[in-house]
Every structure is written in C-alpha cells, then in structure tokens.
Amino acid sequence: MNKLIGLVGTNSDHSTNRMLLQYIQKHFSDKADIEIVEIKDLPIFDKPADMQIPAEAKALAEKIEAADGVIISTPEYDHAVPASLMSALSWLSYGIYPFVDKPVMITGASYGVLGSSRAQAHLRQILDAPELKARIMPSSEFLLSHSLQAFDTDNNLKNPDQVQELEGLFEDFLMFINIMKQLSHTHAAHVKAAENFSWENN
C-alpha cells in the first residue's frame, strides 16, 4: 500500500482544504495510507544567517522524503497560493530537497465558484522551480467550489459527481506514482542540480 502525505496548504485553523484532505484520507483508506501534515507550525521563511534549517521543516521534509507521493490542497488568495504555503515550500527547498522527483497531486477548495483554479496553476509553477522539481500529475485538477456547502455533518462530500471525479483522479494518481517509480535513473543528478542551483548565479 502506498504511503502518502496530505499537505494542508494553509495555516488557517479552520479550512475546507483540511476537510477535503481528511475526506480523502478516510475515503481512500483501503487504497493508501495517508498522513495529513500541517504547515502552520513552520516559521515564516527568512534566509537564516547561520544556514540552519528549523527542526519543524526538517521533520516535514523527512515525512515527504519517505512518502510515495504528496497531495497538496491549496486555497486561493488573490489568484495565488497563500503566503504560508509559499513560505513552507521555501523551507522545503533550502538545503533540503524532498520534492525532487516526488509525485504530487494538487487539489483545492474555495468558498467561491472557481475552486482555487488559479492557485493550483500557480502551485504547479512553483513546484516546477529548479529547487523543487516535483513530478506533478499532468492534466488533472480537483476544484471544490462553494466548499462551505460541500460537506455533510460527517465531513463527506455531498455531490456524487464530485466523489466520482475524485475517485477517478485518485486512481490515476496511484498509477502515476507507480510510473514515476520506474523513472528514477536521474534522481541523484536532479538532487545535485537542485543543491547547486543559485538564482544569484543565473
């Protein structure tokens, strides 16, 4: 059974993106072991003078490194991902590189009609950065619009069409993970490239 990380892409205490990941964790418990992890305990990224990485970032990196894949669920703020998620990804590409070649599935929930579509596109760009270089599942996005009304009292999605769509995407993600496991011959080179990359020298 695949071990997955569900990364809550916000530091909000009350988020429908966390609820979506909790639903995914429960609904697919027979297909994958999913651990939900938070970014809200990470300090805001500020390049440290002593080059020391916070223990919280190291612990999160270790969980991602050990996982077969990561599901990131992001809200949308001003057509972009939250600053807290940007900050977390900055820590996770500063001297540690757990996302290099890691299969990632992106989901998102928002109170409005767009379901975080622009934030998901923004997140794809970030995850493709030289210091991150995740393997993002292509041609897929799960957009949960009007998310405050999307769940019942048991935290289950109400709309059967959305459930069916999510089930299909999750099956595709499991297949994507298995395919990516075969494409590991350049992993060491990709990690070295991430370690050696510097915007100051480009």
Side-chain angles (χ1 to χ4, degrees):
M1 182 178 287
N2 284 303
K3 167 68 176 177
L4 305 180
I5 293 296
L7 187 66
V8 182
T10 175
N11 60 359
S12 172
D13 289 331
H14 305 286
S15 171
T16 51
N17 282 278
R18 185 180 293 105
M19 293 173 65
L20 176 56
L21 287 173
Q22 290 169 341
Y23 172 76
I24 290 172
Q25 179 188 50
K26 177 176 63 174
H27 192 71
F28 299 110
S29 60
D30 61 332
K31 298 181 181 297
D33 178 11
I34 304 174
E35 179 183 358
I36 297 176
V37 297
E38 302 281 352
I39 62 172
K40 60 183 180 178
D41 296 325
L42 291 174
I44 295 297
F45 181 79
D46 183 12
K47 190 174 181 180
D50 59 3
M51 305 290 286
Q52 293 299 306
I53 302 166
E56 297 91 343
K58 287 182 179 179
L60 179 52
E62 289 173 1
K63 288 179 181 289
I64 293 171
E65 189 75 45
D68 296 298
V70 179
I71 303 171
I72 304 177
S73 194
T74 179
E76 181 172 316
Y77 299 161
D78 298 327
H79 295 181
V81 301
S84 56
L85 181 54
M86 284 281 292
S87 175
L89 293 174
S90 293
W91 280 123
L92 294 170
S93 56
Y94 180 76
I96 47 178
Y97 305 96
F99 274 106
V100 173
D101 294 330
K102 187 66 61 176
V104 174
M105 174 180 170
I106 299 173
T107 67
S110 74
Y111 299 166
V113 69
L114 295 178
S116 81
S117 60
R118 293 186 178 93
Q120 290 193 36
H122 183 213
L123 182 55
R124 285 177 180 273
Q125 289 182 313
I126 296 168
L127 290 171
D128 197 40
E131 310 95 316
L132 284 157
K133 275 300 178 190
R135 295 191 183 271
I136 311 151
M137 188 166 72
S139 302
S140 67
E141 54 184 5
F142 184 73
L143 308 172
L144 187 63
S145 60
H146 303 297
S147 57
L148 286 175
Q149 294 81 40
F151 298 94
D152 64 20
T153 54
D154 294 320
N155 196 30
N156 293 314
L157 285 176
K158 296 177 183 177
N159 189 326
D161 291 335
Q162 290 178 329
V163 173
Q164 185 178 18
E165 179 187 2
L166 186 58
E167 288 174 344
L169 286 172
F170 192 81
E171 289 292 342
D172 285 349
F173 186 51
L174 295 181
M175 184 175 294
F176 181 69
I177 289 172
N178 289 332
I179 293 171
M180 291 303 101
K181 286 178 180 178
Q182 310 306 312
L183 304 179
S184 59
H185 300 88
T186 56
H187 179 68
H190 290 167
V191 172
K192 185 176 181 179
E195 291 173 343
N196 293 334
F197 185 83
S198 171
W199 287 105
E200 296 174 0
N201 298 325
N202 287 278

